[in-house]
Amino acid sequence: MAYSNSSFRAQVPLSCQLCEESNQIKWKCYQCDFLLCTKCQKLHKKVKSNDQHTIINIKDIARQQAKDDIPCEIHSGQNCDLFCQTCYEVVCPLCIAHTHGKHHMIELAEGYKLTINKLKNFSSDLVMKLPNYERGRSTLSSFKYSEEFKYKIEKQIILSREKDLKHEVEMHTKNLLEELDQRWDLLKQSVNDVDNTTQKINKDFEFRTESLTNALASVKSSVVFQAYKEERAARKQNIEPVKARFKRLPQYIPGKLQIQQALHGELQESNDDYEYALDHYELKVIKQYKTDLKSIAQIVCCDDGTLWISDSSTKKIQKIQFSNRLVHIVQQLQFATSGMALSLQGDLFFSIAEPYLKMLCHTTGKMIEIKNSEAPLITGPIHITREDKIIIRVGEKGPLFPVNKPRKVIIMDKDGTTEKVYNGLDNDGKPLFSAPQRITSDNDNNIYVLDCLNKDWSGRIVALDKTNGLRWIYSGNADINKEQTFKPRDLVATNLNNVIITDKDSHMIHILNTSGECIHYINTKDQLGIELPYSLDIDNTGTLYIGCFQSKPDEAKIYTVQVSGF
């Protein structure tokens, strides 16, 4: 844990950079770039070679730094001379004229002080969070070590038993070891995935903490404003502590019966701890809202708290806003769409089963056609990644079923130029896709495709990576889908790279980890009071939105749900 301690020590209050003892910082020398206590400030002034140095009271730093020229990032040749308290950013005269005219403006020095306070709060927040992540990694490491030890012990027992039974059980031994190895590989991969995610978050926090510390010690206001801007942007990602649940390895139990499997033994789950969890999964309904649509086929969350929703049966597309449990329609469009996705700039893309896309520009409100380099193939479900890449299904025009021609999933830029194509074969040598209906991606650019296999919506989840293609296929959970076929309707990736899937007809939600293992499932009807969960999206605060199929005519509901653990 030396790594954690060193990170934590870096966040203690700054000491005088001359005596390194007093933390009563009162002064700053601009030439030496030193923060000084009063005693060292007096000594510093007495040194003859320093008599030309500029030493000011730190209370006056804001006034001094506010005199710096801060070039506007938007308008070339303009300097920022005011601070917009509404948007918490520095602005130039053109910014005020074009965007911030009705906002509250204050002097740069005052804005600098406010920003410094914000940075201090950000820094304190990161200091509080870092130990939690380190404790999580330590717990994860202990679990991995104990399970690895158990894996070796169980393997030894199996091999010893094999010697006793010799040739009679050779094939069964092979099957047992393969099953145990597969379980261990899956568990190890799941643990490593969580550990890698945690490590990435830790490195990000350390980098951000270092940036904030440097900004707080800097004499340049531009550095402070930029640090605040970067930290505010990073916080919109709503990164939560890693919480994970893993299924323990089964235990080898030698058998005594005269049939081969029972004579050799079998793998049984542990009776004491069926699962190991860093934390529990939880979904809690916050509010529910009634719409005037028959069903909520798609949901797209915007950064300003509004939603775009669509109803495929009525071909209505609405932009809505919630207020006092009521749904207010901000804008309504009327056309059929097979997919909607929001770009990082706020432009809304529509797939309309044509060889091109439509884009609703957020600045002009105009609808623009975007070319598709795969034309004349028509477009289907669409998704836009965190890197602003468009992922979309393309195929020949015609009914979805029967599948006569292969469908492809492609990655393209916003100009419509194709960058990668997925159209290979699955593990059974069959075409990779039948009829993809939804697409999402995670923070590591892994792609998840909801692939419909026939007209009744029986389907599967096909996981792809950004380089090599197929990773795994999920066709439902045996505990849930014994009597009813897995019929996924929508999916969304969480900030922890888990995937949430709706199974409408079963009133179920499945949650998969990055290895394709179902780590949790919930009956939304019995446990949340949500019937026929259909569409999904997650906003920038981490709130899950669930749109439902109609329970009553023209009263399809939307639920906001607080999630934790995944």
Side-chain angles (χ1 to χ4, degrees):
M1 298 296 291
Y3 185 70
S4 173
N5 291 338
S6 65
S7 299
F8 183 77
R9 283 197 300 270
Q11 308 310 314
V12 297
L14 288 173
S15 299
C16 172
Q17 292 175 291
L18 199 60
C19 68
E20 298 183 348
E21 294 179 358
S22 174
N23 58 8
Q24 300 297 314
I25 305 300
K26 300 288 186 182
W27 307 89
K28 179 156 189 170
C29 174
Y30 269 87
Q31 283 70 25
C32 299
D33 196 21
F34 274 7
L35 295 171
L36 306 169
C37 63
T38 299
K39 181 179 178 181
C40 290
Q41 177 259 346
K42 293 178 180 177
L43 292 173
H44 192 68
K45 290 176 66 176
K46 291 181 179 180
V47 178
K48 190 172 183 180
S49 59
N50 298 340
D51 57 1
Q52 299 299 317
H53 286 201
T54 302
I55 302 176
I56 65 170
N57 193 302
I58 59 172
K59 293 181 180 179
D60 299 326
I61 288 179
R63 191 181 308 111
Q64 179 71 26
Q65 291 177 326
K67 297 176 182 178
D68 297 344
D69 289 337
I70 305 175
C72 180
E73 295 181 355
I74 300 174
H75 303 105
S76 178
Q78 295 289 320
N79 286 330
C80 297
D81 51 13
L82 287 176
F83 183 84
C84 176
Q85 194 171 5
T86 306
C87 301
Y88 250 84
E89 61 185 15
V90 290
V91 292
C92 74
L94 292 180
C95 290
I96 298 172
H98 294 165
T99 310
H100 302 265
K102 296 183 179 180
H103 295 181
H104 183 223
M105 300 295 159
I106 57 177
E107 295 294 329
L108 279 180
E110 187 179 353
Y112 174 85
K113 292 178 182 178
L114 293 175
T115 307
I116 282 289
N117 289 334
K118 287 283 188 180
L119 288 180
K120 288 179 179 178
N121 291 335
F122 288 165
S123 182
S124 299
D125 184 49
L126 292 178
V127 169
M128 294 293 292
K129 288 180 177 179
L130 269 173
N132 293 333
Y133 284 99
E134 286 298 332
R135 283 194 293 271
R137 288 195 66 197
S138 176
T139 303
L140 195 65
S141 177
S142 298
F143 169 71
K144 182 181 178 181
Y145 176 80
S146 65
E147 288 299 295
E148 184 176 14
F149 179 76
K150 181 180 178 181
Y151 164 73
K152 294 176 180 179
I153 294 298
E154 297 299 329
K155 189 170 183 177
Q156 277 185 345
I157 296 173
I158 293 172
L159 292 173
S160 297
R161 186 70 170 173
E162 180 194 14
K163 290 180 181 179
D164 295 336
L165 299 175
K166 297 185 179 179
H167 301 293
E168 300 170 290
V169 293
E170 185 175 351
M171 290 305 298
H172 188 57
T173 299
K174 182 181 178 182
N175 293 336
L176 285 172
L177 289 175
E178 285 181 354
E179 182 183 351
L180 184 64
D181 286 340
Q182 287 174 359
R183 289 288 299 273
W184 168 239
D185 288 341
L186 181 62
L187 177 62
K188 181 171 61 175
Q189 182 63 45
S190 298
V191 172
N192 288 340
D193 287 345
V194 174
D195 185 57
N196 290 337
T197 300
T198 306
Q199 193 171 6
K200 287 180 181 178
I201 295 174
N202 283 359
K203 288 182 179 178
D204 178 60
F205 274 25
E206 289 169 357
F207 175 79
R208 287 159 56 190
T209 303
E210 182 180 356
S211 297
L212 295 181
T213 301
N214 292 339
L216 291 170
S218 174
V219 300
K220 293 185 177 181
S221 59
S222 59
V223 173
V224 171
F225 290 126
Q226 182 64 26
Y228 170 76
K229 183 177 181 180
E230 293 175 356
E231 178 61 22
R232 184 178 63 176
R235 284 170 174 265
K236 289 184 179 180
Q237 298 179 11
N238 195 36
I239 299 176
E240 298 180 357
V242 173
K243 304 171 183 178
R245 175 175 288 184
F246 309 99
K247 202 170 187 178
R248 286 190 178 275
L249 287 171
Q251 182 179 0
Y252 176 74
I253 305 297
K256 296 180 180 179
L257 300 179
Q258 292 183 349
I259 60 173
Q260 189 181 55
Q261 180 175 334
L263 184 63
H264 191 301
E266 60 183 1
L267 295 172
Q268 290 185 358
E269 305 295 346
S270 303
N271 291 326
D272 53 347
D273 291 309
Y274 179 71
E275 292 176 333
Y276 172 83
L278 293 177
D279 209 333
H280 293 293
Y281 302 117
E282 184 178 3
L283 291 90
K284 183 180 179 181
V285 173
I286 305 172
K287 291 181 180 179
Q288 61 173 294
Y289 303 89
K290 289 182 181 179
T291 71
D292 62 354
L293 302 180
K294 294 181 180 296
S295 64
I296 311 299
Q298 297 173 84
I299 297 178
V300 174
C301 296
C302 302
D303 287 342
D304 61 1
T306 58
L307 304 177
W308 282 96
I309 59 176
S310 70
D311 179 0
S312 54
S313 62
T314 61
K315 300 181 181 179
K316 288 182 179 180
I317 302 170
Q318 295 178 346
K319 184 178 185 180
I320 62 171
Q321 190 167 30
F322 298 142
S323 177
N324 298 322
R325 295 189 178 273
L326 298 177
V327 176
H328 298 284
I329 301 174
V330 179
Q331 185 177 356
Q332 181 161 301
L333 306 173
Q334 188 74 43
F335 58 85
T337 178
S338 54
M340 301 188 299
L342 196 69
S343 73
L344 296 183
Q345 291 74 31
D347 301 320
L348 188 64
F349 285 72
F350 299 96
S351 175
I352 56 171
E354 294 290 346
Y356 57 87
L357 299 172
K358 283 187 174 182
M359 185 193 81
L360 182 62
C361 182
H362 79 288
T363 55
T364 65
K366 294 181 179 180
M367 196 72 77
I368 303 169
E369 288 188 5
I370 304 295
K371 70 175 184 178
N372 163 26
S373 59
E374 298 292 319
L377 298 180
I378 65 169
T379 61
I382 182 175
H383 169 72
I384 297 180
T385 71
R386 291 165 174 83
E387 295 183 346
D388 231 17
K389 300 294 184 182
I390 297 174
I391 308 177
I392 195 164
R393 182 199 80 200
V394 294
E396 294 188 6
K397 200 159 191 172
L400 284 178
F401 299 102
V403 180
N404 296 320
K405 298 286 181 70
R407 279 74 184 250
K408 300 186 291 186
V409 170
I410 65 171
I411 301 177
M412 65 183 193
D413 60 26
K414 289 198 294 183
D415 293 326
T417 303
T418 300
E419 296 184 352
K420 186 170 180 59
V421 178
Y422 296 93
N423 62 347
L425 303 177
D426 63 18
N427 294 329
D428 296 324
K430 298 179 180 179
L432 198 54
F433 307 114
S434 293
Q437 294 299 298
R438 295 288 187 270
I439 304 171
T440 192
S441 65
D442 63 21
N443 292 316
D444 293 331
N445 295 314
N446 296 309
I447 300 168
Y448 304 92
V449 179
L450 191 161
D451 187 32
C452 191
L453 300 176
N454 52 51
K455 290 181 179 180
D456 71 352
W457 273 86
S458 298
R460 59 186 185 171
I461 307 302
V462 179
L464 310 168
D465 62 32
K466 60 182 178 181
T467 55
N468 299 320
L470 179 64
R471 295 174 58 226
W472 46 259
I473 293 175
Y474 176 76
S475 299
N477 185 294
D479 295 336
I480 312 170
N481 304 113
K482 290 179 181 178
E483 299 179 357
Q484 195 161 14
T485 308
F486 181 51
K487 298 180 180 179
R489 290 304 184 103
D490 203 357
L491 75 173
V492 66
T494 71
N495 283 321
L496 297 180
N497 289 350
N498 296 314
V499 181
I500 304 175
I501 305 159
T502 55
D503 187 347
K504 176 179 72 69
D505 293 350
S506 300
H507 309 286
M508 298 296 297
I509 280 179
H510 303 233
I511 301 164
L512 311 184
N513 63 13
T514 54
S515 300
E517 183 182 12
C518 183
I519 56 175
H520 190 61
Y521 56 82
I522 183 171
N523 187 305
T524 60
K525 182 178 180 180
D526 295 342
Q527 297 175 258
L528 300 177
I530 299 176
E531 295 186 35
L532 303 172
Y534 196 175
S535 53
L536 295 169
D537 201 12
I538 297 175
D539 69 10
N540 55 14
T541 69
T543 300
L544 176 67
Y545 288 75
I546 302 177
C548 297
F549 202 74
Q550 64 182 29
S551 54
K552 294 182 180 180
D554 302 337
E555 284 190 4
K557 295 180 180 179
I558 299 175
Y559 292 83
T560 56
V561 179
Q562 179 182 343
V563 298
S564 61
F566 50 84

